[in-house]
């Protein structure tokens, strides 16, 4: 039988680790267990299919020292740019995390829990599952389907599928306590979890488990690390980013002020001989205001029940509740930002040597103002941090599933109903309300009112300060509910085994309601624009699958899916695969699949945002001329959703092999090629104006002068991406006799190519190896276990890439500091030691980044005071975590 071949053991080792392999080896050969592998609804004896699947076990997660599943998934070699990061520059999706496989974006990566969809996070430009909301203590394993476009779970899985499988059976009571800190003695974490389970399916006919967990994380500021100890980056050959836009008075002239006069308010003067240009001034150093690691608190409750109904049927269900809180501080904005980006501060009458209406970067402080000691109007370069800028989010997620599985005749059936909801509230504080600044802080002539005190918010009217720095609340409510039924059965005998068929159907209802604070959407807060969206849809899907072992060495697989969207019509997406085993130790495999991603509800129903952009009008300014105002003209624009967009489509190919040269040692190599077309992107002003005849309805010109009045930069199906690469996975186990056992693992991704075109008229351009798209990623592990002791070391590797975003972009560091034109590769190591020699007690120590390496220097992130890419790296340094687990008997 195929089930007893060595290749089966090899791929079982590849896909499910040594524990499942050992269990399989002990089973009688006449009654092998059948399991369901991610990517197929057909239960099978052989663990491998034609599709490549990588598995991360609970043991792997424990050894990594990760506190969240986000930390684990970030190190996937197949993961790449396009995801959402918990840390880094705060965005509308603050507090969340989402995974992007193949660099195709979080919206093209399908994240499931127990093979079913869940409600997406409420904010962000893509519809994605917030992995921060998934309790790591409840995870049994994670299966990653790498071949893209799953006809079983959804054709929108263009980049691949991440299936997070939660624990189902547990008996007893256990408690876990953990605590961690960095080698800098900060970033402390503390966690506690309790798991209780009772009942045995074999003896009592049921099992019920409940797990509760809580974790706290303390914040770390960027100035707590040597690289960003302050904003004077001259030590790296870069500019000094400490700013005089704090509370400094200059003569009122020009757009930024003339001669320095002194400091307004209570602020210490800089005394630094090395900084003559800043000496004596009030200095703003934002490294004291920006977080490297946010303050976080996460609570989770998870419960699962399995109950035998008799006749081979069982009832199953699970429920999970989670709350994730995160809070961060960030830099405040100065008058230079308001002058440059909002046009709120202007030299109305040309009093300061400018043309009337010229934007200025200071607050004019009149001679009559109590804080003015110079007897004339002066220019104050001011920082609007009377209320520090903070962002705080709270996400509450709930998920309930109830279903049954069993045999009906020759059919192996399963059906379930599922309801999932995500509620998110994000609070912003410290942003200026523009109209209050202009009308209440400044007078009709643009001068600071005598009644307003700078740098002393407590001296001002509390009601005025509350209106000037309002508390802004964003709220999102998303739900996904579904009913699904699927079943499989054997049909006829083929030379290689039974022809097996699976059929399934799913009815899904999606609702999305994201409502930013109205002051973000009506222009009251001009410095930051946000959009909301509200909509719903129903999806009906049917799918089928065939597994045909036409020969003992050849298995063909076919699958097809039909989706009908209430707002986007129907789509048919097939998938085909083949697996050939010419030798018992060798299996060759390949797949082909089509993908179809209907625009997400945020993409369809997002509100519009208005603003201004500077353009060169190719019709009225074919050749640049400074005397022609059409060459640099500020034009109003609108961006947002487009009701006429259509779905993205893709073609995916994989081909590879699995070999087991000796028992318990395996190697798999799989090449992939994914091409996505009709990608959604915001149309650029250059492309729009160069194709005015094609997009005449998006361009408004003055009927008399012909000058540009308005541009519609709505989302459109403009882009195309093609990515090719290779995945390698190797695993092996060696017995050391009395010295225990050694397990070796390694996985590697090589991105050969990542080509993209922004518009239909552009040629595909190669982006692999450019910003955020490293060509090489990998991880490797060496684990030893003997008796009461376990120990392991794991390495994570991220290849280098250029700091420029594309081949036609010039590196801005090339002239003075060319070594910053590349972000270098990084290799970090984690170690883990566990002792189980005390009755019912396990003690473990994990050390992440044991060499205390800094993240690779990314000079493009210096303006954000990070200096590294949080998408791939961490600047926390060496991190220790102690964990104690006790099983009550």
């Amino acid at each position: 039988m195929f089930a007893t071949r060595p290749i089966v053991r090899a791929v079982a080792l590849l896909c499910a680790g040594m524990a499942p392999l050992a269990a399989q080896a002990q089973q009688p050969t006449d009654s092998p267990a059948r399991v369901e592998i991610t990517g197929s609804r057909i239960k099978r004896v052989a663990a491998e299919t034609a599709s490549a699947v990588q598995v991360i076990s609970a043991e792997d997660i424990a050894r990594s020292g990760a506190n969240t599943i986000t930390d684990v998934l970030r190190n996937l070699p197949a993961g790449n740019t396009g995801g959402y990061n918990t840390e880094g520059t705060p965005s509308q999706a603050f507090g969340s995390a989402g995974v992007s496989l193949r660099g195709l974006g979080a919206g093209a990566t399908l994240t499931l829990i127990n093979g079913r969809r869940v409600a997406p996070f409420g904010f962000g430009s893509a519809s994605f599952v917030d992995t921060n909301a998934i309790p790591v203590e409840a995870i049994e394993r994670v299966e990653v389907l790498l071949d893209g476009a799953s006809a079983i779970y959804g054709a929108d899985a263009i980049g691949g599928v991440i299936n997070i499988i939660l624990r189902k059976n547990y008996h007893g009571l256990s408690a876990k306590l953990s605590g961690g800190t960095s080698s800098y003695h900060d970033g402390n974490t503390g966690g506690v979890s309790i798991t209780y389970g009772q009942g045995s399916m074999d003896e009592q006919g049921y099992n019920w488990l409940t797990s509760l967990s809580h974790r706290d994380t303390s914040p770390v500021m960027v100035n707590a690390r040597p690289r960003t100890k302050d904003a004077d980056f001259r030590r790296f050959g870069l500019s000094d980013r400490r700013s005089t836009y704090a509370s400094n008075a200059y003569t009122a002239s020009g757009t930024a002020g003339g001669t320095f006069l002194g400091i307004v308010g209570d602020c210490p003067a800089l005394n630094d001989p090395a900084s003559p240009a800043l000496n004596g001034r009030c200095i703003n150093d934002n490294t004291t205001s920006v977080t490297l690691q946010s303050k976080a608190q996460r609570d989770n409750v998870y419960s699962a029940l399995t109950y035998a109904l008799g006749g081979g049927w069982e009832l199953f269900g699970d429920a999970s509740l989670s709350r994730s809180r995160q809070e961060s501080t960030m830099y405040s904005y100065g008058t230079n930002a308001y002058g440059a980006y909002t046009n709120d501060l202007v030299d109305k009458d040309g009093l300061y040597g400018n043309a009337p209406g010229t934007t200025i970067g200071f607050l004019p402080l009149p001679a009559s103002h109590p804080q003015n000691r110079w007897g004339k109007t002066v220019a104050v370069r001011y920082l609007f941090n009377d209320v520090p800028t903070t962002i705080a989010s709270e996400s509450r997620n709930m998920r309930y599933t109830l279903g049954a599985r069993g045999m009906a005749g020759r059919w192996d059936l399963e059906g379930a109903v599922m309801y999932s909801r995500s509620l998110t509230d994000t609070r912003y504080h410290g942003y200026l309300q523009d109209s209050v600044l202009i009308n209440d802080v400044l007078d009709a002539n643009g001068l600071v009112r005598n009644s307003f005190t700078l740098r002393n918010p407590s001296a001002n009217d509390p009601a005025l300060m509350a209106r000037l720095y309002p508390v802004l609340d964003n709220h999102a409510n998303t739900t996904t509910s579904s009913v699904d039924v699927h079943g499989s059965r054997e049909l006829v005998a083929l030379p290689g085994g039974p022809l097996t068929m699976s059929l399934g159907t799913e009815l899904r209802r999606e609702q999305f309601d994201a409502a930013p604070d109205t002051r973000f959407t009506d222009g009251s807060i001009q410095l930051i624009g946000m959009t909301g969206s509200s909509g719903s849809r129903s999806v009906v899907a049917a799918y089928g699958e065939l597994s045909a072992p036409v020969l003992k060495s050849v298995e063909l697989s076919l699958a097809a899916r039909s989706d009908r969207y209430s707002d986007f019509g129907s789509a048919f997406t097939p998938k085909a695969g083949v697996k050939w085993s010419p030798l018992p130790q060798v299996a060759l495999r390949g797949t082909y699949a089509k993908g179809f991603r209907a625009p997400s509800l945020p993409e369809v129903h997002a509100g519009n945002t208005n603003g201004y952009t500077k353009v060169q009008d190719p019709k009225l300014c074919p050749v640049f001329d400074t005397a022609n105002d059409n060459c640099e003209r500020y034009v109003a624009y609108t961006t947002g959703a487009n009701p006429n967009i259509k779905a993205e489509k893709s073609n995916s190919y994989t081909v590879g092999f699995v070999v087991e040269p000796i028992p318990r040692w395996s190697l798999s190599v799989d090449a992939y090629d994914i091409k996505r077309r009709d990608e959604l992107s915001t149309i650029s002003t250059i492309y729009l104006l160069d194709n005015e005849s094609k997009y005449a309805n998006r361009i408004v010109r003055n009927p008399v002068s012909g000058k540009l009045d308005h541009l519609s930069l709505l989302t459109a199906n403009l882009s195309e991406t093609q990515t090719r690469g290779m995945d390698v996975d190797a695993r092996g186990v060696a017995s050391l006799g009395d010295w225990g056992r050694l397990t070796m693992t390694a996985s590697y991704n090589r991105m050969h190519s990542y080509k993209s075109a922004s518009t239909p008229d552009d040629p595909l351009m190669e982006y692999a190896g450019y910003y955020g798209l490293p060509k090489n990623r990998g991880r490797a592990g060496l684990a030893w276990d003997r008796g009461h002791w376990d120990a392991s070391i794991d390495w994570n590797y991220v290849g280098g890439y250029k700091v420029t975003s594309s081949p036609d972009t010039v590196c801005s560091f090339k002239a003075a500091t060319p070594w910053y034109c590349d972000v270098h590769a990084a290799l970090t190591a984690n170690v883990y030691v566990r002792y189980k020699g005390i009755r019912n007690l396990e003690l473990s120590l994990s050390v992440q980044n044991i060499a205390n390496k800094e993240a690779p220097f990314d000079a493009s992130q210096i303006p954000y005071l990070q200096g590294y890419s949080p998408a791939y790296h961490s600047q926390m340094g060496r991190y220790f975590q102690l964990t104690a687990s006790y099983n009550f008997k």
Side-chain angles (χ1 to χ4, degrees):
M1 294 292 291
F2 182 81
T4 63
R5 292 184 177 182
I7 187 61
V8 174
R9 299 195 303 271
V11 182
L13 173 60
L14 168 70
C15 293
M18 284 307 302
L21 177 63
Q24 180 176 318
Q26 295 170 3
Q27 293 168 353
T29 56
D30 59 347
S31 181
R34 293 180 177 270
V35 295
E36 185 176 300
I37 303 299
T38 295
S40 173
R41 290 295 192 191
I42 295 176
K43 293 183 178 180
R44 59 190 70 232
V45 173
E48 97 284 3
T49 66
S51 299
V53 178
Q54 291 182 352
V55 174
I56 304 169
S57 67
E59 184 73 9
D60 296 331
I61 296 173
R63 286 180 169 176
S64 72
N67 291 320
T68 67
I69 190 61
T70 299
D71 297 333
V72 176
L73 297 178
R74 186 176 67 170
N75 292 325
L76 282 174
N80 224 300
T81 187
Y84 287 83
N85 304 311
T86 302
E87 302 297 349
T89 306
S91 67
Q92 194 170 351
F94 174 77
S96 67
V99 185
S100 168
L101 294 176
R102 309 301 191 200
L104 296 175
T109 301
L110 182 57
T111 302
L112 308 171
I113 295 181
N114 292 339
R116 293 178 172 87
R117 296 177 185 246
V118 292
F121 186 72
F123 290 105
S125 57
S127 181
F128 67 97
V129 174
D130 178 16
T131 54
N132 283 342
I134 301 172
V136 67
E137 291 82 5
I139 294 174
E140 179 180 301
R141 66 185 185 277
V142 179
E143 296 182 347
V144 184
L145 177 67
L146 294 174
D147 64 354
S150 170
I152 303 301
Y153 303 110
D156 52 347
I158 293 174
V161 178
I162 296 175
N163 189 12
I164 299 171
I165 299 171
L166 304 182
R167 300 169 70 175
K168 299 180 182 65
N169 294 297
Y170 182 78
H171 183 78
L173 174 64
S174 65
K176 181 184 294 185
L177 184 67
S178 65
T181 189
S182 76
S183 57
Y184 296 94
H185 309 293
D186 60 14
N188 300 331
T189 62
V192 60
S193 66
I194 299 175
T195 302
Y196 173 74
Q198 68 176 39
S200 167
M201 291 298 296
D202 293 332
E203 298 178 7
Q204 286 86 27
Y206 78 96
N207 182 263
W208 168 71
L209 73 88
T210 295
S211 175
L212 298 88
S213 63
H214 170 83
R215 179 165 293 278
D216 277 309
T217 303
S218 62
V220 178
M221 309 307 292
V222 296
N223 67 346
R225 294 297 178 268
R227 177 180 296 166
T228 48
K229 63 181 181 179
D230 58 51
D232 184 0
F233 298 112
R234 289 177 297 176
R235 59 187 179 274
F236 300 117
L238 301 172
S239 61
D240 186 351
R241 289 193 170 272
R242 294 175 298 173
S243 173
T244 58
Y245 283 86
S247 186
N248 296 301
Y250 295 76
T251 56
S253 62
T255 60
T259 304
F260 173 65
L261 298 173
I263 298 173
V264 175
D266 181 18
C267 178
L270 181 69
N271 182 17
D272 180 7
S275 306
L278 303 179
N279 234 7
R281 293 160 174 79
C282 175
I283 297 304
N284 172 41
D285 187 339
N286 276 319
T287 60
T288 62
S289 304
V290 177
T291 48
L292 177 73
Q293 175 177 280
S294 301
K295 178 182 179 181
Q297 183 185 85
R298 294 188 170 89
D299 299 281
N300 297 281
V301 179
Y302 171 71
S303 185
L305 169 69
T306 308
Y307 184 81
L309 298 173
W313 281 81
E314 64 181 27
L315 182 75
F316 66 89
D318 60 69
S320 61
L321 302 171
S322 71
R323 183 181 66 182
S324 177
R325 292 174 171 172
Q326 189 157 323
E327 185 173 340
S328 179
T329 60
M330 64 174 295
Y331 47 80
S332 300
Y333 293 90
T335 50
N336 54 335
Y338 282 87
Y341 301 117
T342 69
N343 298 315
D344 283 336
L345 305 176
V346 296
D347 186 351
K348 292 187 176 182
D349 301 313
L351 299 177
Y352 312 118
N354 306 301
T358 300
T359 58
I360 56 177
F362 58 81
L363 295 179
L365 192 70
S368 60
H369 195 281
Q371 292 179 291
N372 189 328
R373 61 182 186 274
W374 296 279
K376 59 183 178 180
T377 298
V378 297
V380 181
R381 296 182 182 178
Y382 196 65
L383 180 70
F384 293 107
N385 68 341
D386 296 322
V387 173
T389 304
T390 60
I391 304 177
S393 72
E394 179 175 299
S395 293
R396 301 173 301 283
N397 293 268
M398 55 206 75
R399 178 181 179 274
Y400 310 98
T401 304
L402 181 65
R405 61 173 70 97
M407 297 295 297
R410 298 176 62 185
W411 284 92
D412 188 349
L413 299 175
E414 179 177 318
V417 295
M418 189 278 299
Y419 175 79
S420 177
R421 185 181 186 186
S422 175
L423 296 170
T424 302
D425 291 288
T426 308
R427 186 186 72 249
Y428 300 78
H429 200 194
Y431 290 101
L432 281 184
Q433 187 162 203
D434 301 67
S435 61
V436 179
L437 170 66
I438 299 305
N439 299 320
D440 296 345
V441 175
L442 306 180
D443 63 20
N445 297 314
L447 304 174
V448 177
R449 294 180 183 272
N450 291 345
S451 59
F452 190 87
T453 303
L454 302 179
R455 283 195 64 85
N456 188 3
S458 62
N460 297 313
D461 177 12
L464 170 61
M465 296 303 295
R467 288 186 290 112
L468 181 62
Y469 295 96
V471 176
L472 306 159
D473 290 302
N474 291 0
H475 178 74
N477 180 3
T478 70
T479 62
T480 298
S481 53
S482 66
V483 178
D484 69 272
V485 178
H486 62 268
S488 63
R489 60 164 292 178
E490 296 178 357
L491 297 177
V492 297
L494 296 177
L499 173 67
T500 308
M501 174 183 66
S502 173
L503 297 175
T505 184
E506 176 189 13
L507 172 62
R508 188 170 72 251
R509 178 70 176 173
E510 301 174 352
Q511 292 182 297
F512 198 102
D513 185 11
D517 194 290
T518 55
R519 287 164 291 195
F520 278 133
T521 59
D522 64 9
S524 297
I525 313 289
Q526 293 188 60
L527 206 57
I528 294 182
M530 296 185 182
T531 60
S533 60
S534 181
S536 62
R537 65 159 54 123
S538 297
V539 184
V540 179
Y543 54 88
E545 181 184 7
L546 284 174
S547 174
V550 293
L551 298 173
K552 290 185 178 296
S553 60
V554 178
E555 179 183 353
L556 303 179
S557 57
L558 294 172
R561 183 181 183 93
S562 177
D563 291 275
R564 182 173 181 81
Y565 290 78
S566 60
D567 55 353
F568 261 91
S570 302
F572 177 79
T573 48
K575 181 176 181 178
V578 60
K579 182 184 66 178
W580 175 41
S581 302
L583 297 171
Q585 295 82 15
V586 179
L588 308 178
R589 61 190 182 189
T591 64
Y592 165 74
K594 284 185 171 292
F596 169 91
R597 191 185 79 86
S600 65
L601 289 174
E603 290 168 328
V604 177
H605 299 284
N608 293 334
T609 299
N610 299 314
Y612 288 87
T613 184
K614 185 167 63 175
V615 300
Q616 177 180 345
D617 186 348
K619 180 178 287 187
L620 300 182
C621 175
V623 179
F624 188 84
D625 182 357
T626 55
N628 184 350
D629 65 352
N630 293 292
C631 296
E632 287 186 309
R633 180 175 176 80
Y634 279 95
V635 180
Y637 72 87
T638 299
T639 184
N642 179 0
N644 299 317
I645 56 178
K646 55 185 179 181
E648 299 176 347
K649 297 180 180 179
S650 70
N651 291 307
S652 304
Y653 302 87
T654 68
V655 60
F657 64 86
V658 184
V659 296
E660 184 190 26
I662 57 176
R664 300 202 298 178
W665 289 80
S666 67
L667 170 70
S668 71
V669 179
D670 293 277
Y672 63 88
D673 188 320
I674 303 173
K675 184 176 182 179
R676 181 170 62 175
R677 60 190 185 277
D678 295 329
E679 282 185 58
L680 293 172
S681 62
T682 300
I683 192 169
S684 69
T685 56
I686 296 175
Y687 180 74
L688 181 66
L689 294 173
D690 285 344
N691 295 270
E692 185 168 347
S693 59
K694 183 178 179 180
Y695 297 102
N697 62 328
R698 294 189 174 206
I699 300 172
V700 178
R701 291 183 177 273
N702 187 288
V704 178
S705 66
K707 293 176 180 283
L708 290 170
D709 280 344
H710 188 271
L711 302 176
S712 179
L713 306 179
L714 302 181
T715 302
N717 298 91
L718 298 172
S719 304
E720 178 181 325
T721 298
Q722 182 173 6
T723 180
R724 292 182 290 107
M726 177 179 65
D727 295 301
V728 179
D729 198 279
R731 296 174 184 262
V733 179
S735 174
L736 303 179
D738 293 339
W739 287 95
R741 182 178 62 175
L742 199 64
T743 302
M744 286 157 278
T745 61
S747 56
Y748 166 73
N749 172 259
R750 166 71 178 181
M751 181 189 291
H752 295 306
S753 175
Y754 189 97
K755 294 181 178 180
S756 184
S758 300
T759 69
D761 298 334
D762 291 338
L764 287 169
M765 185 177 293
E766 182 62 75
Y767 290 90
Y770 287 86
Y771 195 79
L773 287 168
K775 289 185 176 181
N776 301 291
R777 292 199 67 184
R779 62 181 182 181
L782 188 62
W784 168 78
D785 61 272
R786 180 195 181 201
H788 299 311
W789 288 95
D790 294 332
S792 66
I793 180 169
D794 295 279
W795 294 270
N796 290 304
Y797 176 79
V798 179
Y801 50 87
K802 297 185 181 301
V803 78
T804 51
S805 60
S806 64
D808 58 356
T809 304
V810 178
C811 175
S812 60
F813 307 104
K814 187 174 183 180
T817 52
W819 49 89
Y820 291 145
C821 289
D822 293 281
V823 178
H824 298 299
L827 178 67
T828 57
N830 307 326
V831 298
Y832 174 84
V833 178
R834 179 173 59 180
Y835 178 67
K836 299 176 289 185
I838 304 174
R839 179 182 176 89
N840 301 333
L841 178 67
E842 291 185 6
L843 300 174
S844 64
L845 168 68
S846 66
V847 184
Q848 299 181 49
N849 190 4
I850 190 171
N852 199 31
K853 288 186 176 182
E854 283 197 303
F857 195 94
D858 184 350
S860 69
Q861 292 296 310
I862 285 295
Y864 306 106
L865 305 179
Q866 300 287 343
Y868 75 102
S869 171
Y872 299 111
H873 308 293
S874 170
Q875 195 67 337
M876 286 297 294
R878 185 185 298 114
Y879 199 87
F880 304 89
Q881 181 163 277
L882 280 169
T883 302
S885 301
Y886 189 83
N887 293 313
F888 299 87
K889 297 296 184 179

